[in-house]
Amino acid sequence: MRYVLGLLLCAACAWGLNASEKVWQNGQTFLGFLEANNISHSLYYNLAAEDKELATEVMAGAKYHLLTDDAGTLVQALIPIGEENQIHLYQDSKSPSGYGFSTLPVRYFEKRQSIAFELSSVPYNEIIHITGDSRLASEFAVAFRSSIGAANLYPQDKLALIYNRKYRLGKPYGAPEIIAGVIEARGKPHYLFSYKDGGYYNEKGESLMQFLFTVPLRYTRVSSSFSNARKHPILGYRRPHLGVDYAAPRGTPVSAAGTGTVSFVGYKGGYGKTIIITHGDGYKTLYGHLNGYARGIRAGKRVTQGTKIGYVGNTGLSTGPHLHLGLYKNGRAINPQKSVQRKKKKLGASEFAEFAAQTDPYKAELQAALSHENLPVYEKPQEYIAARESTENRAP
């Protein structure tokens, strides 16, 4: 199953099938997808509750792959849910609907890269010009927003970044992860480092994040944690859980985990009554299985952190009263437990010691990049990608 996408393409060549890539449209639902492909809704209704939740996780803009025969009948489909996993639909004569359902890891590889250059225009534009990577430019803009403003930068100031980049099918995939960076403005360095809690900090261990989260309710226990790769003990396939479930009595108030604008209020597939809040810097939070909504909560309403937005319930596909909290950055599900309750503005003494040991080598690497005789310095990854994917796609 590891080579499913490659097998889809091989099957298309060998058996005269048609492979295509499409984009999941805004407002499109999994049931709508089944209907459009003449697949019985029983496929969805016979799924376990957790899989019905996953079918709700397909995001607008996601690129998915189809394999159809000459009559237009769906043979297989791969539909991404986040950056790590994908739904696999395939013809199965043993299933009442004629199709099987499972989840698979999205196959990609990561490469650590770096870039260093002198400024001649806006850093965002320069990064795109040198790398062609708009997602890297966007992540840079978010990361350095609280460090130093563009108005304080001048031509011949310098910038260097160290980052991890995912690649899939020969192209950049998903969002890059900036590990460390520095802007040298008029000779003064302004450092930024990522830490294990997912936040960005300067060299003093002071948080550079503008958006802080809190746990949005009083709960009795965490009934299910976030997981990208949990293997189901009975079904045998990976079943991700893209959020945290907080068990609490029905009717427990739920508040906004952070300041933002309500972008969705309504029924959302397996999540039942749901609220989605859009925050700054590409973040969104999802609150699922609600019993109801607080008065005045509607799409377009601005809410501050701690504003009551709804009440714990058991709507949708749920086995007991709880809140499902999802956290997304640029459409990618991330672990809320690493981000909520991040109220501190500075790392404690023990954390800072670990942080400093981690960041000192990066500082040396960044300075070495900036002192390079010929800027910009950037290793174009095309040859590496081709060699890596050629090796990995070779039949075992």
Side-chain angles (χ1 to χ4, degrees):
M1 301 301 280
R2 184 181 175 187
Y3 299 91
V4 172
L5 183 53
L7 291 177
L8 289 185
L9 299 176
C10 291
C13 297
W15 300 99
L17 300 175
N18 305 301
S20 60
E21 180 183 79
K22 295 189 176 183
V23 176
W24 199 267
Q25 299 300 313
N26 189 32
Q28 185 174 357
T29 65
F30 188 72
L31 280 173
F33 172 84
L34 296 181
E35 188 171 325
N37 288 279
N38 298 312
I39 300 173
S40 170
H41 285 188
S42 64
L43 170 68
Y44 174 81
Y45 292 120
N46 288 332
L47 293 177
E50 296 93 334
D51 287 335
K52 290 176 183 174
E53 281 192 355
L54 288 176
T56 310
E57 288 280 355
V58 185
M59 295 290 179
K63 294 181 180 179
Y64 62 99
H65 296 86
L66 302 178
L67 191 64
T68 56
D69 62 20
D70 288 336
T73 301
L74 183 69
V75 177
Q76 294 194 67
L78 291 172
I79 307 172
I81 40 176
E83 291 184 5
E84 305 292 333
N85 301 280
Q86 55 194 334
I87 292 171
H88 181 213
L89 294 180
Y90 51 93
Q91 288 184 340
D92 183 358
S93 59
K94 298 179 181 179
S95 169
S97 67
Y99 287 84
F101 176 106
S102 67
T103 58
L104 299 170
V106 173
R107 190 158 175 257
Y108 61 82
F109 66 88
E110 283 188 303
K111 177 172 173 55
R112 203 186 89 153
Q113 294 181 240
S114 60
I115 179 175
F117 58 89
E118 279 191 358
L119 296 180
S120 59
S121 65
V122 178
Y124 181 95
N125 295 337
E126 295 245 21
I127 291 173
I128 294 177
H129 175 71
I130 295 170
T131 68
D133 193 340
S134 60
R135 296 291 293 272
L136 177 62
S138 296
E139 188 63 21
F140 158 81
V142 169
F144 273 94
R145 183 174 299 170
S146 298
S147 176
I148 183 170
N152 298 315
L153 299 178
Y154 294 85
Q156 297 185 337
D157 285 344
K158 296 180 180 180
L159 185 153
L161 298 174
I162 302 169
Y163 60 99
N164 285 327
R165 197 66 178 98
K166 296 176 183 176
Y167 291 92
R168 183 171 184 250
L169 302 178
K171 299 177 181 178
Y173 173 70
E177 176 194 14
I178 293 178
I179 302 170
V182 62
I183 292 178
E184 193 175 88
R186 284 165 286 176
K188 181 181 179 180
H190 299 263
Y191 289 100
L192 172 147
F193 304 97
S194 64
Y195 191 49
K196 62 184 180 181
D197 64 359
Y200 290 118
Y201 294 83
N202 63 20
E203 60 182 318
K204 297 178 182 178
E206 298 166 338
S207 175
L208 297 175
M209 297 289 289
Q210 291 187 334
F211 180 48
L212 304 179
F213 298 90
T214 59
V215 176
L217 78 166
R218 291 189 175 184
Y219 61 96
T220 56
R221 62 189 177 91
V222 172
S223 55
S224 187
S225 295
F226 180 94
S227 173
N228 262 319
R230 183 173 57 189
K231 188 173 182 180
H232 193 275
I234 298 174
L235 299 176
Y237 60 78
R238 292 161 51 106
R239 176 185 277 165
H241 185 247
L242 303 181
V244 177
D245 290 348
Y246 295 99
R250 188 190 307 271
T252 300
V254 176
S255 60
T259 298
T261 301
V262 177
S263 53
F264 179 85
V265 178
Y267 208 89
K268 190 172 178 63
Y271 288 132
K273 291 183 177 180
T274 300
I275 293 173
I276 297 176
I277 299 177
T278 299
H279 310 281
D281 297 343
Y283 285 97
K284 289 185 178 182
T285 47
L286 178 148
Y287 311 78
H289 305 301
L290 298 173
N291 189 55
Y293 316 112
R295 181 175 296 181
I297 295 299
R298 64 187 183 282
K301 182 176 178 61
R302 183 76 175 170
V303 294
T304 57
Q305 186 179 71
T307 300
K308 184 166 66 177
I309 58 173
Y311 306 92
V312 169
N314 195 31
T315 58
L317 299 157
S318 172
T319 57
H322 72 280
L323 172 72
H324 174 92
L325 176 64
L327 174 62
Y328 304 85
K329 184 178 182 182
N330 297 324
R332 176 174 62 95
I334 58 179
N335 188 351
Q337 289 175 293
K338 287 187 177 181
S339 299
V340 296
Q341 291 182 315
R342 194 195 293 147
K343 285 192 170 183
K344 57 194 173 189
K345 293 285 187 178
K346 190 172 182 177
L347 297 175
S350 60
E351 288 180 309
F352 181 73
E354 178 187 26
F355 173 79
Q358 168 189 311
T359 58
D360 283 347
Y362 290 134
K363 289 176 67 175
E365 188 174 341
L366 290 168
Q367 284 302 320
L370 291 182
S371 62
H372 198 278
E373 290 184 3
N374 299 310
L375 294 178
V377 174
Y378 173 63
E379 175 195 1
K380 293 185 178 181
Q382 280 78 5
E383 291 184 7
Y384 174 86
I385 294 169
R388 177 71 179 263
E389 292 196 335
S390 174
T391 300
E392 293 199 353
N393 289 331
R394 192 175 299 147

